[in-house]
Amino acid sequence: MKKKPGPKSSSDKAGEVRKASAAKPSHGDQEYHLRTRPGEIARYVVEVGDPGRAEMIANTLFDKTSEPRYFGDHRGLKCYTGFSTIGGGLGVMPISVVTTHMGGPNTGIVTPEAVRCGARIIIRVGSCGGLWPQVEVGDSAICTGAVRLDGASSDWAPIEYPAIADYRVVSALVNAAEALKLPYHVGIGATTGCFNEGQARPEFFTDEKGYIPPRLQQRHDELLKRGVLFYSMEEASLFTWCSGHGGFLAGAVDAIFCNRTKPDSKFEAKGEENAARIAIRALQILFTYFGVDGDPFSHHRPAFPSFEKWK
């Protein structure tokens, strides 16, 4: 894609170049991994693990009136910045989609770089495995908080520190799903560091019948008993980092690819665009509340927008 000037952050400092050091790696005036500069990431951000999902969101759901600015794919970390017009004459929102790849450690690398380049309100759009009997493949799961089985978040806060989504982001996501009339569920996720045994999937390398370590099977059974909605690999890391590093607003909505309570449930990559549509509508709701700067720390805000406005 041809590069176009992207939205600039109000905190940009002309000519400022962060000096690289072992403590603060960089690539000249760019972030070391994302290869982005301050002001090149919008305040309102969708984070995804799959670079193909980032491309789909930018090309399908950003405004068509101007081509999204593409920041390349160093290490496959595709980033786009564009615009999203809010209906009813409520404005045009600068928005970015940023790729993290899979898992908590990658989320913990990319999110700080995105924040340094402008991000303030972040919604993850990912995929998950459902743990409620009633969920259907292709539904969306809106996360209120996450069980911290990821490992990465323990580097940022003690295990007793809760990994919770910002209540305003959760409210906006629910209102968005209702307004779009898309199927969704709201609940707690379990963020694991492993896609297979960590989510009680059997391994067949050492046992042709399939082996799950008993401690992990027991943990899986308890999560089911305690009403956990889904398995994924990023939410706890994102929530803990954002709340523990200055109170940046974060939330998540995932497409449900399978139902783990049904042995014959198919695994299908379905519902990604619906989850992304919910996330972008939620960011629009938040934009009408926090404004173009996406400042979650101002004490002079009108009442939070009601659902009625978004029907």
Side-chain angles (χ1 to χ4, degrees):
M1 288 186 177
K2 182 172 65 177
K3 289 187 176 181
K4 292 187 177 182
K8 294 295 183 182
S9 161
S10 60
S11 62
D12 289 349
K13 295 181 180 179
E16 180 178 339
V17 177
R18 181 160 57 94
K19 292 182 179 180
S21 68
K24 297 181 178 179
S26 66
H27 182 76
D29 62 344
Q30 298 175 318
E31 292 297 328
Y32 182 69
H33 300 92
L34 284 181
R35 295 294 202 262
T36 52
R37 300 176 177 87
E40 290 182 333
I41 302 295
R43 299 302 210 193
Y44 297 84
V45 170
V46 174
E47 275 193 356
V48 299
D50 180 359
R53 190 179 302 140
E55 186 174 356
M56 178 275 290
I57 290 171
N59 292 336
T60 305
L61 301 178
F62 284 10
D63 282 0
K64 303 294 191 298
T65 53
S66 61
E67 190 176 11
R69 184 175 178 185
Y70 176 50
F71 294 104
D73 59 354
H74 180 64
R75 300 176 183 240
L77 298 170
K78 290 186 176 181
C79 297
Y80 300 85
T81 294
F83 298 92
S84 177
T85 299
I86 304 173
L90 295 174
V92 178
M93 174 182 68
I95 182 172
S96 293
V97 57
V98 175
T99 304
T100 65
H101 290 323
M102 294 179 289
N106 286 329
T107 300
I109 290 170
V110 171
T111 301
E113 293 191 2
V115 166
R116 283 194 291 267
C117 291
R120 292 296 179 270
I121 299 176
I122 301 170
I123 296 180
R124 165 179 149 77
V125 173
S127 60
C128 67
L131 296 175
W132 288 359
Q134 66 268 37
V135 304
E136 299 290 342
V137 173
D139 290 356
S140 293
I142 295 171
C143 188
T144 58
V147 184
R148 290 176 53 194
L149 307 174
D150 57 314
S153 64
S154 295
D155 288 341
W156 310 319
I159 198 63
E160 295 84 3
Y161 188 96
I164 53 174
D166 186 89
Y167 72 96
R168 291 158 291 191
V169 180
V170 173
S171 176
L173 286 166
V174 171
N175 285 350
E178 289 282 351
L180 294 168
K181 300 185 181 345
L182 292 171
Y184 71 95
H185 310 271
V186 182
I188 295 169
T191 303
T192 64
C194 173
F195 181 75
N196 295 307
E197 290 95 328
Q199 297 183 9
R201 289 186 173 93
E203 61 93 355
F204 297 93
F205 295 100
T206 59
D207 187 337
E208 63 181 14
K209 296 180 181 179
Y211 174 72
I212 302 172
R215 67 186 186 284
L216 299 183
Q217 182 64 58
Q218 183 179 11
R219 186 177 77 182
H220 173 74
D221 294 341
E222 177 134 11
L223 293 174
L224 292 175
K225 287 285 188 183
R226 300 306 172 207
V228 171
L229 172 58
F230 65 88
Y231 276 128
S232 72
M233 297 181 66
E234 291 83 14
E235 275 80 356
S237 307
L238 176 64
F239 298 165
T240 303
W241 192 92
C242 285
S243 59
H245 288 79
F248 300 103
L249 273 59
V253 54
D254 292 346
I256 297 173
F257 280 7
C258 62
N259 188 324
R260 296 292 309 283
T261 69
K262 301 176 181 178
D264 59 346
S265 173
K266 60 185 178 181
F267 186 96
E268 184 178 358
K270 182 180 178 182
E272 293 173 277
E273 184 171 334
N274 282 348
R277 289 174 62 202
I278 291 170
I280 291 175
R281 179 65 71 92
L283 288 172
Q284 290 177 344
I285 294 171
L286 293 162
F287 178 83
T288 66
Y289 184 63
F290 291 111
V292 69
D293 286 335
D295 176 14
F297 308 111
S298 172
H299 299 290
H300 304 287
R301 296 294 179 197
F304 193 69
S306 68
F307 162 62
E308 294 296 325
K309 186 176 183 179
W310 297 93
K311 280 186 177 179

